Amino acid sequence: MTTPARTLEIRTSPHIVSGYSVDTIMFNVVLALLPTTAFAIYAFGLAALLTLTVAVGSCVLAEQLACRLSDRASTLGDWSVAITGLLYGLTLPPGLPLWMVAVGGFFGVALAKSLFGGLGLNAFNPALVGRAFVQAAFPVAMTSWMPGFTADRFVSVPGSTLTLPLTKPVYDGVTSATPLSLWKFDGQLSEVGDLALGFVGGSTGETCGLLILLGGAYLVARNMMNWRIPVAIFTVVATASASLYALDAERYAPPLFMLFSGGLMLGAVFMATDMVASPMTSLGCLLYGALIGGLVVVIRVWGGMPEGVMYAILIGNAVSPHIDRWIQPRVYGSRVGEPAP
Amino acid sequence: MVDSFPHEETPSTDEFIKGLWRENPVFVQVLGMCPALAVSNTARNALAMGLATLFVLLMSNVVISSLRRFVPKEVRIATYILVIATFVTIVDYVLQAISLDLHKALGAFISLIVVNCLILGRAEAFASKNTAGKSAMDALGMGLGFTAALLSLGAVREILGSGALFGLPLFHDGFQPWVVMILPSGGFFALAGWLLLFNALQERRARLASPAAEPMR
């Protein structure tokens, strides 16, 4: 006897499936980060490779341990923790002792992700929380920048990278400065071409702005990233710094310099767009991006630190649930100005 | 914390023991957070703060318990504060006489013992209803529990934050201090760690005591 053909199937929503799931999106973010990662390893050699490996490893280990301790199924397969690790590694200065890398990765995932309940519940971007912890715990090591493109970068590992756990790093070579600290403390501007192509000092993954934009464009083209957030950040940073530059070209940096220096590209494209920690509505995303962009300019121009992208995004993350509460989409069927039925 | 059976039947050792572990003021009741987070940046400060609180708690509990039949209900809180403030003043002067450095390190937090919710809480919840002997046991237990908790916070923060314990360096010169641990945020990290450990242990004990019951999620 054959089973009768089903003519009517009753299911709960969603009825239309896009084919995108958490793992496909996360895997594509990894793909989008590949050019940046490759450039980081090309520019800083073994130091960057080891930093990134340990960063990913410590984040994955923390996630696995948290899943084990809370009796949950392992969530390593959704790639999200791999992205956290990779992004975290890309924000660190090359030559940072590997034990500090591991401490930050572990804290970031454990504090900002696992304790909040895992993926989808983290109020803050775990990669940035990890970086903020390392920055607060080891401020000197986090502001010692190894120069890129040294001749022996593929054959030797800097001594500071291999520092024994709990001990202070000793920098054997000359440490360079980032374009932002050169500008802030020495009043020296870097060439915009060098900034865009990545021939400057800085964190492993933040130097080459063009490759980051390429990865972002890929994600936007595949509709896996909200373009409004980076666009709002870039617009606000560009307008604010352009007006400051117009006021006093001696004191303030030109807008292109502001856009391509420091972690702005990496932060705006890959960190601020964290799907969990950013607002849900389009208008909310624009506001959120504008807030982050404004904070970046304020911290960089008037703050004590040369760079402020990390704190700007973390503050943006903290505000995003409030933005979601203020800006709510109109309930389907209700009229403008009318309370929801 | 209301005991399930009348106070007359509770043995005094239990009044003492409960503050150390089961009803630990910091790790279980989460009381007195202000000094616990603010002055636990070194083990020495934490110990001094804990002992000062222990003394004030013990003396005020005994006095308040002895006066409990004479204090009108309407003015009891004002009376308690007056009694507590008297002993805090004593601690303040004694500490200045013993070590001016320590007094400076603890700063306003010595005077703030007056409004420590742990002390007022014990006066209101325990000393005003129990005999002086029992109140003394309660104060000793709670005070020692508070001191132990502050000391464990201070030890973690000092070891990580300056690589030392009670000012004695524990590591060789190359130690990299975790600056964040001696900053206020380090207090929250250390407290969170200890609370995690305490809750995990309590849950495990509850699970072992009644294997059939599911742990709370």
Side-chain angles (χ1 to χ4, degrees):
Chain A
M1 195 179 134
T2 52
T3 46
R6 281 197 205 161
T7 48
L8 180 65
E9 193 180 357
I10 301 172
R11 290 199 312 175
T12 54
S13 60
H15 301 292
I16 302 171
V17 231
S18 66
Y20 287 175
S21 61
V22 171
D23 1 341
T24 44
I25 294 185
M26 293 297 173
F27 180 69
N28 275 287
V29 177
V30 173
L31 283 187
L33 276 170
L34 274 184
T36 308
T37 313
F39 184 80
I41 294 167
Y42 170 65
F44 297 105
L46 285 176
L49 182 66
L50 283 175
T51 305
L52 291 172
T53 315
V54 173
V56 175
S58 59
C59 288
V60 167
L61 193 71
E63 176 100 346
Q64 181 66 15
L65 201 68
C67 287
R68 180 77 59 87
L69 283 177
S70 56
D71 296 330
R72 282 192 209 152
S74 168
T75 46
L76 297 186
D78 68 13
W79 287 90
S80 67
V81 76
I83 297 188
T84 299
L86 193 55
L87 279 175
Y88 164 67
L90 289 173
T91 62
L92 296 175
L96 186 75
L98 292 177
W99 71 269
M100 292 182 188
V101 177
V103 165
F106 200 82
F107 262 81
V109 170
L111 269 182
K113 191 174 175 196
S114 306
L115 285 185
F116 280 84
L119 182 68
L121 299 164
N122 47 303
F124 296 96
N125 183 328
L128 284 180
V129 172
R131 186 185 200 275
F133 184 83
V134 185
Q135 171 90 58
F138 316 114
V140 177
M142 279 297 276
T143 43
S144 304
W145 310 92
M146 189 189 113
F149 301 102
T150 48
D152 58 349
R153 63 186 187 276
F154 294 116
V155 285
S156 76
V157 180
S160 58
T161 302
L162 297 178
T163 311
L164 286 177
L166 297 179
T167 52
K168 258 184 207 149
V170 179
Y171 291 90
D172 37 22
V174 205
T175 56
S176 70
T178 64
L180 276 171
S181 55
L182 274 178
W183 167 68
K184 181 132 199 158
F185 302 122
D186 306 325
Q188 195 181 326
L189 279 175
S190 311
E191 288 292 320
V192 172
D194 287 351
L195 286 170
L197 295 175
F199 296 109
V200 287
S203 300
T204 48
E206 72 179 19
T207 49
C208 185
L210 289 181
L211 287 178
I212 298 170
L213 285 180
L214 185 74
Y218 168 74
L219 286 180
V220 169
R222 297 212 55 183
N223 202 12
M224 288 177 173
M225 188 179 85
N226 196 331
W227 56 269
R228 290 173 189 86
I229 298 171
V231 166
I233 296 177
F234 294 151
T235 315
V236 169
V237 170
T239 356
S241 49
S243 18
L244 285 174
Y245 188 61
L247 274 180
D248 188 350
E250 292 282 297
R251 245 184 90 194
Y252 301 110
L256 270 179
F257 172 83
M258 288 290 262
L259 280 180
F260 280 99
S261 60
L264 185 72
M265 284 291 162
L266 189 66
V269 174
F270 286 107
M271 312 257 185
T273 51
D274 183 321
M275 288 184 171
V276 185
S278 58
M280 293 179 212
T281 55
S282 301
L283 180 61
C285 281
L286 287 175
L287 266 180
Y288 165 83
L291 173 77
I292 292 175
L295 283 170
V296 168
V297 175
V298 167
I299 298 177
R300 278 186 183 177
V301 173
W302 293 289
M305 297 167 295
E307 175 61 307
V309 172
M310 170 177 73
Y311 293 115
I313 296 178
L314 285 174
I315 295 172
N317 286 166
V319 175
S320 98
H322 301 285
I323 296 181
D324 273 338
R325 227 177 45 201
W326 296 326
I327 294 164
Q328 295 196 344
R330 190 172 57 87
V331 174
Y332 184 69
S334 70
R335 289 210 191 91
V336 181
E338 194 179 85
Chain B
M1 301 290 132
V2 181
D3 286 333
S4 51
F5 39 85
H7 288 303
E8 275 67 35
E9 292 171 24
T10 326
S12 275
T13 46
D14 188 57
E15 308 295 358
F16 178 66
I17 300 290
K18 70 172 195 279
L20 293 181
W21 178 264
R22 201 179 70 233
E23 293 178 20
N24 185 294
V26 175
F27 293 145
V28 179
Q29 302 187 55
V30 200
L31 285 179
M33 283 298 104
C34 174
L37 291 169
V39 292
S40 62
N41 49 0
T42 65
R44 192 184 67 137
N45 288 356
L47 184 66
M49 188 67 211
L51 290 179
T53 312
L54 170 67
F55 170 77
V56 175
L57 184 59
L58 179 62
M59 300 309 281
S60 61
N61 248 18
V62 169
V63 170
I64 288 166
S65 162
S66 323
L67 293 175
R68 71 186 188 279
R69 296 195 197 288
F70 308 104
V71 178
K73 198 164 168 281
E74 292 75 15
V75 293
R76 65 184 196 287
I77 299 289
T79 318
Y80 300 162
I81 293 285
L82 205 63
V83 171
I84 296 167
T86 312
F87 291 111
V88 170
T89 313
I90 295 175
V91 166
D92 195 31
Y93 285 141
V94 168
L95 200 63
Q96 276 188 51
I98 296 174
S99 161
L100 205 54
D101 284 347
L102 196 57
H103 187 266
K104 273 186 188 143
L106 296 184
F109 291 98
I110 288 290
S111 321
L112 283 173
I113 298 178
V114 178
V115 285
N116 189 322
C117 49
L118 169 66
I119 297 178
L120 197 61
R122 290 331 285 173
E124 170 76 2
F126 198 91
S128 64
K129 296 171 191 146
N130 289 287
T131 59
K134 270 188 188 171
S135 302
M137 293 307 271
D138 175 73
L140 269 180
M142 288 288 166
L144 284 175
F146 187 74
T147 311
L150 250 68
L151 200 57
S152 42
L153 278 176
V156 168
R157 291 179 68 183
E158 193 179 352
I159 290 173
L160 283 178
S162 15
L165 191 61
F166 287 106
L168 300 169
L170 294 180
F171 304 96
H172 58 93
D173 290 339
F175 179 76
Q176 165 73 50
W178 300 34
V179 182
V180 68
M181 293 311 282
I182 46 173
L183 299 177
S185 45
F188 286 94
F189 287 134
L191 179 69
W194 281 110
L195 279 176
L196 187 72
L197 186 70
F198 239 72
N199 282 333
L201 287 177
Q202 300 272 52
E203 197 180 272
R204 187 159 163 268
R205 231 162 62 144
R207 208 169 37 226
L208 289 181
S210 54
E214 273 290 297
M216 274 214 312
R217 291 271 164 199

